[in-house]
């Protein structure tokens, strides 16, 4: 990266200003702007007024206001600084190429980082046998619950035809930034988010792709997106056992699969197929989530709470028992998420229910937060894990 320029190299405030700038992270890449070569110049005049020139990756960077505010606040907090002026420029093609080289560490294009034997990212694919069981709601809220634990979490909306994750996170109209054919995921609520819906020219455009194009789209969202260092990557799969599930199984054999069902028998039967497909692709089924497991109502007559089983009972246990028998290892029911209107409202408004300050212990948020705790505390299984070992000569 090019060195920063300054007209005041001997000014006593400059070292402290440099340290302050090193605390400012690019809101998309999540690395210090000084490390990324984004600070082009720093000048301090005789009255201790500071001018900082920051280079954006592209002219229309969607978070330039955030970057301007963060730089102003960081430098303005340095003792002795009287005022801060931030000027925004744009990287040259050569500088963007250098940035891409830095971020990819010189690795070849089209490599999926999560498929590498040395990857430390835990990939969890959220699957269901059919649509309408709340799979995307579970994915979004689980991701945010993991992020609230201080983990670095990415969300990939691989439900190509029914992509709803961006709307549930309030970024349906956001577009990712591209740097030299490298895509930066959209940051929101502490998550890194990518969806095919963000790559369409118009939000209302219909995706009508068949197998080969779907495979290339999944490859692009995994390999051409700069995800950075993630603790968890959650993938919202399309329902069923179609092309996308097969493609992801081939590209990410080390991924774990979380199966979502509802209590009703019809949903449970097809949910078993999603878990079986994962096993056929050598992916480990980590557990089952029973969504819409019961509606909790406060009785106006007796004052007590009662649970109404709107969609029946036992579906989660049925799926877990069938998969345990079929696959040959224990597949537990990890959560029973009640039928909670707040879960639906949060999805519609782009404000997931787990973001509530004081969640109802009887509601969906409490169960989803507990699910995140269970998954985060489980050690990553070694079964099927590529250890990257090779034999040596005797």
């Amino acid at each position: 990266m090019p060195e920063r320029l300054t007209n005041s190299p001997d000014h006593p405030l400059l070292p402290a200003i440099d340290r302050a700038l090193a605390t400012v992270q690019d809101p998309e890449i999540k690395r210090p702007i000084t490390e990324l070569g984004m600070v082009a110049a720093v000048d301090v005049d005789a009255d201790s007024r500071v001018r900082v020139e920051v280079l954006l990756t592209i002219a229309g960077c969607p978070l330039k206001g955030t970057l301007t505010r963060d730089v102003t606040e960081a430098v303005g907090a340095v003792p002795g600084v009287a005022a801060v002026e931030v000027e925004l420029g744009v990287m040259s093609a050569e500088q963007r190429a250098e940035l891409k080289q830095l971020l990819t560490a010189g690795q070849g294009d089209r490599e999926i980082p999560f498929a590498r034997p040395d990857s430390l990212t835990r990939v969890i694919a959220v699957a269901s046998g059919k649509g309408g069981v709340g799979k995307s709601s579970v994915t979004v809220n689980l991701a945010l619950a993991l992020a609230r634990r201080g983990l670095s979490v990415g969300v990939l909306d691989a439900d190509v035809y029914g992509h709803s994750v961006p709307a549930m996170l309030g970024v349906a109209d956001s577009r990712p930034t591209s740097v030299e054919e490298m895509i930066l995921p959209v940051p929101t609520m502490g998550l890194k988010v990518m969806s095919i819906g963000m790559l369409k020219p118009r939000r209302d455009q219909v995706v009508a792709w068949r197998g080969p194009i779907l495979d290339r789209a999944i490859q692009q969202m995994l390999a051409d997106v700069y995800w950075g260092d993630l603790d968890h990557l959650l993938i919202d799969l399309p329902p069923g056992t179609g092309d996308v599930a097969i493609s992801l199984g081939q590209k990410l054999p080390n991924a774990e699969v979380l199966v979502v069902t509802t209590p009703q028998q019809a949903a449970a039967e097809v949910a078993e197929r999603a878990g079986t497909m994962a096993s056929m692709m050598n992916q480990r089924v980590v557990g089952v989530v029973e969504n819409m497991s019961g509606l909790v109502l406060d009785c106006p007559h007796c004052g007590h709470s009662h649970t109404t089983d709107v969609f029946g009972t036992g579906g989660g246990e049925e799926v877990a028992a069938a998969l345990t028998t079929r696959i040959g290892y224990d597949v537990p029911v990890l959560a029973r998420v009640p039928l909670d209107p707040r879960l639906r409202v949060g999805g519609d408004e782009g404000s997931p229910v787990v973001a509530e300050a004081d969640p109802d212990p009887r509601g969906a948020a409490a169960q989803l937060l507990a699910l995140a705790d269970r998954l985060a505390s489980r050690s990553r299984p070694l079964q099927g894990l590529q250890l990257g070992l090779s034999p040596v000569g005797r």
Side-chain angles (χ1 to χ4, degrees):
M1 285 295 166
E3 295 185 1
R4 170 183 52 77
L5 302 177
T6 177
N7 293 327
S8 44
D10 299 325
H11 198 285
L13 286 177
L14 200 58
I17 293 171
D18 286 341
R19 290 192 295 270
L21 287 170
T23 67
V24 179
Q25 290 193 337
D26 178 87
E28 294 178 298
I29 302 176
K30 301 297 183 183
R31 287 172 65 170
I33 59 174
T34 49
E35 178 184 322
L36 300 175
M38 297 175 66
V39 180
V42 177
D43 295 320
V44 188
D45 68 13
D47 296 322
S48 298
R49 292 178 300 203
V50 181
R51 183 187 70 86
V52 182
E53 182 183 355
V54 177
L55 298 179
L56 303 174
T57 53
I58 60 172
C61 177
L63 296 175
K64 57 186 178 182
T66 300
L67 192 57
T68 300
R69 183 196 65 218
D70 291 349
V71 170
T72 302
E73 290 179 354
V75 176
V78 174
V81 170
V84 181
E85 177 188 358
V86 178
E87 293 184 3
L88 299 178
V90 181
M91 285 185 173
S92 65
E94 180 182 358
Q95 289 170 324
R96 283 194 294 270
E98 291 179 1
L99 176 60
K100 180 182 179 181
Q101 182 75 7
L102 172 68
L103 296 178
T104 59
Q107 296 176 3
D109 293 341
R110 314 299 293 176
E111 180 181 29
I112 298 176
F114 312 112
R116 291 173 54 89
D118 58 352
S119 173
L120 299 178
T121 300
R122 188 172 185 181
V123 181
I124 300 177
V126 184
S128 68
K130 60 185 294 185
V133 300
K135 168 183 54 63
S136 297
S137 296
V138 169
T139 303
V140 165
N141 282 277
L142 176 58
L144 190 56
L146 288 168
R148 289 185 60 177
R149 293 173 56 97
L151 299 171
S152 177
V153 183
V155 182
L156 172 58
D157 184 2
D159 193 348
V160 176
Y161 302 128
H163 39 270
S164 55
V165 167
M168 289 183 173
L169 287 170
V171 289
D173 295 317
S174 298
R175 295 291 180 268
T177 300
S178 177
V179 178
E180 294 296 302
E181 299 183 355
M182 180 180 63
I183 304 168
L184 304 182
V186 174
T188 182
M189 303 184 193
L191 304 173
K192 297 179 179 179
V193 184
M194 178 54 57
S195 170
I196 200 67
M198 296 173 172
L199 302 176
K200 298 188 304 181
R202 303 189 320 276
R203 182 176 175 180
D204 61 350
Q205 183 176 345
V206 175
V207 176
W209 295 341
R210 301 297 297 272
I213 300 179
L214 284 173
D215 183 79
R216 287 198 295 271
I218 296 300
Q219 174 77 21
Q220 182 180 22
M221 289 194 290
L222 287 169
D224 291 351
V225 172
Y226 175 71
W227 291 99
D229 294 327
L230 296 180
D231 295 306
H232 288 76
L233 174 67
L234 268 64
I235 303 177
D236 184 28
L237 291 176
T241 56
D243 290 336
V244 173
I246 296 172
S247 181
L248 278 168
Q250 294 171 336
K251 297 180 188 304
L252 297 172
N254 290 342
E256 299 170 278
V257 174
L258 186 67
V259 178
V260 178
T261 185
T262 56
Q264 66 189 102
Q265 300 303 307
E269 181 179 348
V270 293
E272 295 171 19
R273 301 171 194 164
T276 303
M277 168 63 78
S279 177
M280 291 171 59
M281 304 304 296
N282 295 318
Q283 295 173 316
R284 185 175 182 86
V285 182
V286 69
V288 175
V289 173
E290 183 182 89
N291 195 27
M292 311 180 197
S293 65
L295 178 63
V296 180
L297 298 171
D298 294 325
C299 179
H301 304 291
C302 68
H304 296 292
S305 297
H306 302 282
T307 300
T308 301
D309 297 317
V310 178
F311 293 105
T313 61
E317 288 82 358
E318 179 181 326
V319 174
L323 290 176
T324 296
T325 301
R326 190 173 301 168
I327 298 174
Y329 55 80
D330 182 44
V331 179
V333 178
L334 293 178
R336 294 177 180 83
V337 182
L339 187 62
D340 189 340
R342 288 167 294 189
L343 185 64
R344 190 271 305 166
V345 172
D348 289 345
E349 296 180 350
S351 178
V353 68
V354 297
E356 293 180 353
D358 187 20
D360 184 350
R362 305 173 305 170
Q367 295 302 316
L368 290 162
L369 288 165
L371 172 62
D373 290 338
R374 294 188 187 102
L375 287 174
S377 62
R378 291 167 63 101
S379 60
R380 186 177 182 182
L382 294 179
Q383 179 176 340
L385 184 64
Q386 302 175 29
L387 297 179
L389 303 178
S390 59
V392 299
R394 296 179 180 178

